[in-house]
Amino acid sequence: MKKGNVWALLPIGIFIVLYLTLGIIFEYVMKISMGFYSVPIVVIFLIALLCATLQNRKMNFERKLALMGEGVGDKNIVTMLIIFLLAGIFVGVVGRDSAASVAHFVLSLTPPRLAVCMLFLISSFISTAMGTSVGTITLITPIAVSMAEVSGFSAALCVGTVVGGAMFGDNLSFISDTTIAACNGQGCAMKDKFRTNFAIVLPAAIVTLALIAILSFEADITPMEGGEYDLVQVIPYLLVLACGVIGINVFITLIVGILSGSIIMLATGSVTLPTLLSGMGQGAAGMFETSMVAILVAALCALVREGGGFEALLYGIRRLFRGKRACQLGIGLLVGLMDIATANNTVAIVMANPIASEMASDYGITSRKTASILDTFSCIFQGFLPYGAQMLVALSVAGGLGVTLTAFEVIVHMFYPMMLLLSSLVFMFLVPERGNLKKSRQTAEEAQ
């Protein structure tokens, strides 16, 4: 294999160094709340892209623009952008009241001893339905804190359970930006990735529930009261989940969710038409940064690939990770390191996608397995990051309700990411993969 050109990776290195350095300064030196997310990631990517255009003096600027255009115009990138927007509109339509209804309804029917177990299931369901871990944490953490105060359960256990459940859906949801990025980046049908992922997450979820149940039965608790709920508002979520599991095209799935959500929200009087349209606009606008990052990364990777950067990276990876199973671990660590550097699992997947795709092709790893590894490991690393959005939001919401927790106190109670890591390694090294590369790619192309 060619050694490539290590210097072609300089733009990616510049991005990682700038983003990580500024994030650490903002978060830990200047003590800015959510400091990592105060760093303008789009601007940092533009700086990296500028660096890439200044490299390779043998190629004129017009040719470089053409290469960037080819990268951005790739079918998978265009598909990803449209799905991002539709997913944002769906969340903007249904809002958060629907998710709160699910939480209060389930808790009202739950025996006190199993309340924390149900909290994990609720967080998992809502994050899978909404496609956002941060949104789920923002919504369910107040319920978790209140439940801890009135029941006697540990606040750290309740909050850690919510964060773990939120990462379950972030990893598995059909409309999660991580799933969209991983599947479209690898040319994989979402239903295939879901089936591969589900086999990995199910054992992790079962063991997590068992651990939570053990701690729950050891706690000294008191009965609780549930809040108000409206089950009609849950229908759009159920339709989206059903369509996704059946294997209906993701565009149709999201349109069904948007239409059903609009009809129900208007019919129940939850919103007016102007409010509904405003919510759609805000939901789409909320995907702006993610969409711009996907565009800039596609352009940047096109130049890096042309300069021989990917060849250099693949050469180094092949020397470190020999064999198909070791390569899978290499893909997982690659996206994990990207996530540590960016504190954003979607950005990490988008950056790792082209490299992971070439690694998978070299070792005959199916697209659905590659997409599953990228999504799963990015969520595992993101869940444990003390400076990740999920942890910062959880601590901030809990603090706003008068409960002070540290990241470490919450992390030690996040059983799901721990079990997901263990389950992933078991499936990676001990369970043989079904199917083959050629068939997987053909199925993905037919699905798209």
Side-chain angles (χ1 to χ4, degrees):
M1 188 176 182
K2 295 180 180 179
K3 291 186 177 181
N5 178 18
V6 176
W7 285 106
L9 295 170
L10 180 63
I12 296 178
I14 288 176
F15 166 80
I16 292 174
V17 170
L18 279 177
Y19 189 84
L20 193 58
T21 302
L22 289 174
I24 291 173
I25 291 174
F26 287 0
E27 185 76 36
Y28 299 107
V29 179
M30 300 177 67
K31 304 295 183 181
I32 298 175
S33 178
M34 301 287 286
F36 268 86
Y37 297 88
S38 298
V39 180
I41 192 169
V42 172
V43 175
I44 305 300
F45 265 120
L46 280 172
I47 294 173
L49 186 60
L50 176 61
C51 172
T53 59
L54 295 177
Q55 290 183 308
N56 197 356
R57 297 293 183 85
K58 296 179 180 179
M59 184 185 300
N60 61 45
F61 187 66
E62 291 298 322
R63 175 56 184 159
K64 292 175 182 177
L65 285 176
L67 284 172
M68 288 188 281
E70 291 171 5
V72 174
D74 182 84
K75 183 182 73 171
N76 290 326
I77 298 297
V78 174
T79 302
M80 187 190 307
L81 294 175
I82 296 175
I83 296 175
F84 277 151
L85 294 176
L86 287 175
I89 292 172
F90 172 73
V91 174
V93 166
V94 296
R96 294 181 176 177
D97 291 339
S98 303
S101 291
V102 177
H104 290 304
F105 171 69
V106 176
L107 286 175
S108 69
L109 302 176
T110 305
R113 285 286 177 191
L114 298 177
V116 183
C117 291
M118 293 309 300
L119 201 60
F120 174 75
L121 294 175
I122 290 168
S123 300
S124 299
F125 173 80
I126 291 176
S127 59
T128 303
M130 293 178 66
T132 166
S133 55
V134 173
T136 300
I137 291 168
T138 303
L139 179 71
I140 306 299
T141 297
I143 298 175
V145 171
S146 298
M147 192 178 80
E149 290 178 342
V150 301
S151 68
F153 282 116
S154 162
L157 172 63
C158 293
V159 173
T161 298
V162 170
V163 177
M167 299 315 297
F168 175 97
D170 200 354
N171 175 216
L172 206 62
S173 175
F174 285 91
I175 59 173
S176 167
D177 47 5
T178 59
T179 297
I180 295 167
C183 290
N184 285 280
Q186 297 303 312
C188 167
M190 288 191 180
K191 64 179 181 179
D192 292 336
K193 182 262 184 187
F194 177 86
R195 290 166 183 166
T196 300
N197 244 35
F198 191 74
I200 298 172
V201 304
L202 183 60
I206 292 173
V207 175
T208 297
L209 285 171
L211 292 173
I212 294 173
I214 292 172
L215 292 179
S216 297
F217 279 91
E218 292 178 349
D220 184 16
I221 61 170
T222 56
M224 301 168 293
E225 294 183 2
E228 298 181 356
Y229 53 85
D230 183 358
L231 291 182
V232 176
Q233 295 180 352
V234 182
I235 294 176
Y237 289 136
L238 296 177
L239 286 175
V240 167
L241 288 176
C243 290
V245 172
I246 292 171
I248 296 176
N249 181 280
V250 65
F251 291 110
I252 297 175
T253 296
L254 287 170
I255 290 172
V256 167
I258 292 169
L259 291 177
S260 62
S262 299
I263 294 171
I264 289 172
M265 299 304 282
L266 288 172
T268 58
S270 301
V271 297
T272 61
L273 182 59
T275 304
L276 178 69
L277 294 175
S278 176
M280 288 182 176
Q282 292 174 2
M287 289 293 185
F288 167 77
E289 184 174 83
T290 303
S291 299
M292 285 305 304
V293 166
I295 291 171
L296 292 173
V297 169
L300 177 63
C301 287
L303 294 178
V304 172
R305 180 185 289 108
E306 183 69 17
F310 287 171
E311 287 183 341
L313 191 57
L314 287 169
Y315 179 80
I317 290 173
R318 284 184 69 107
R319 296 191 66 179
L320 289 174
F321 301 96
R322 298 181 182 275
K324 184 175 180 178
R325 298 187 185 281
C327 179
Q328 294 177 38
L329 178 60
I331 292 173
L333 293 178
L334 171 68
V335 74
L337 291 174
M338 295 290 187
D339 187 64
I340 290 173
T342 62
N344 186 311
N345 47 350
T346 304
V347 174
I349 292 173
V350 172
M351 292 180 68
N353 258 329
I355 304 168
S357 182
E358 295 194 30
M359 291 171 64
S361 296
D362 286 348
Y363 284 95
I365 303 170
T366 61
S367 59
R368 63 176 179 269
K369 187 63 173 288
T370 308
S372 177
I373 293 171
L374 287 170
D375 200 349
T376 300
F377 273 79
S378 71
C379 288
I380 291 171
F381 278 80
Q382 183 71 14
F384 286 127
L385 285 183
Y387 52 86
Q390 289 78 4
M391 183 63 67
L392 294 176
V393 167
L395 297 178
S396 176
V397 172
L401 296 172
V403 177
T404 302
L405 296 170
T406 65
F408 179 76
E409 288 175 318
V410 175
I411 288 173
V412 296
H413 290 93
M414 288 172 55
F415 304 123
Y416 177 71
M418 301 177 194
M419 295 303 103
L420 182 58
L421 175 59
L422 179 61
S423 180
S424 298
L425 293 175
V426 168
F427 271 81
M428 188 178 291
F429 288 98
L430 300 179
V431 178
E433 183 180 8
R434 295 180 180 179
N436 56 67
L437 178 63
K438 183 178 180 181
K439 183 177 179 181
S440 172
R441 301 291 180 185
Q442 288 175 344
T443 303
E445 290 174 2
E446 292 171 0
Q448 293 178 357

